[in-house]
């Protein structure tokens, strides 16, 4: 039963992708990532950007992910050692 459900979900995903070209899906994930980022939900933003990049490596999500990673990895020793 689990295998049947898994196959059905896989077919459903493929059919869904057939309805929307990968670049269009990538754009949707990119925009959703931007919404999460605006609400400071960094984890979901990164997940959406990664999904967009996997669908379209040339997506603007690649630059958005890089910028978000730079922000999250920022460290200023003077801020922690007054």
């Amino acid at each position: 039963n689990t295998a049947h459900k898994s196959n059905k979900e896989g077919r459903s995903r493929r059919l869904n992708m057939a309805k929307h070209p990968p670049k269009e899906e990538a754009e949707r994930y990119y925009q959703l990532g931007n919404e999460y980022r605006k609400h400071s939900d960094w984890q979901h933003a990164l997940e959406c950007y990664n999904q967009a990049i996997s669908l379209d490596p040339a997506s603007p999500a690649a630059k958005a992910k890089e910028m978000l990673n730079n922000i999250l990895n920022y460290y200023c020793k003077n801020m922690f050692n007054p």
Side-chain angles (χ1 to χ4, degrees), residues 2-81:
T2 304
H4 177 71
K5 182 179 178 183
S6 177
N7 286 338
K8 187 176 180 181
E9 288 173 0
R11 274 195 312 272
S12 175
R13 249 186 244 140
R14 283 192 300 275
L15 290 173
N16 189 27
M17 290 305 294
K19 292 178 186 176
H20 304 288
K23 287 186 183 260
E24 200 174 295
E25 285 294 310
E27 178 64 22
R28 290 177 186 200
Y29 278 109
Y30 169 63
Q31 294 300 331
L32 183 58
N34 286 341
E35 288 301 314
Y36 282 125
R37 181 184 46 79
K38 289 176 188 174
H39 296 287
S40 301
D41 189 344
W42 315 123
Q43 183 64 39
H44 284 114
L46 286 171
E47 288 172 7
C48 288
Y49 292 152
N50 284 331
Q51 187 65 33
I53 294 164
S54 72
L55 292 166
D56 178 15
S59 167
K63 186 66 176 172
K65 178 185 172 191
E66 179 185 344
M67 289 189 298
L68 185 54
N69 278 329
N70 287 338
I71 291 167
L72 294 174
N73 292 325
Y74 176 76
Y75 174 78
C76 177
K77 67 178 181 174
N78 293 330
M79 292 175 67
F80 296 100
N81 297 313

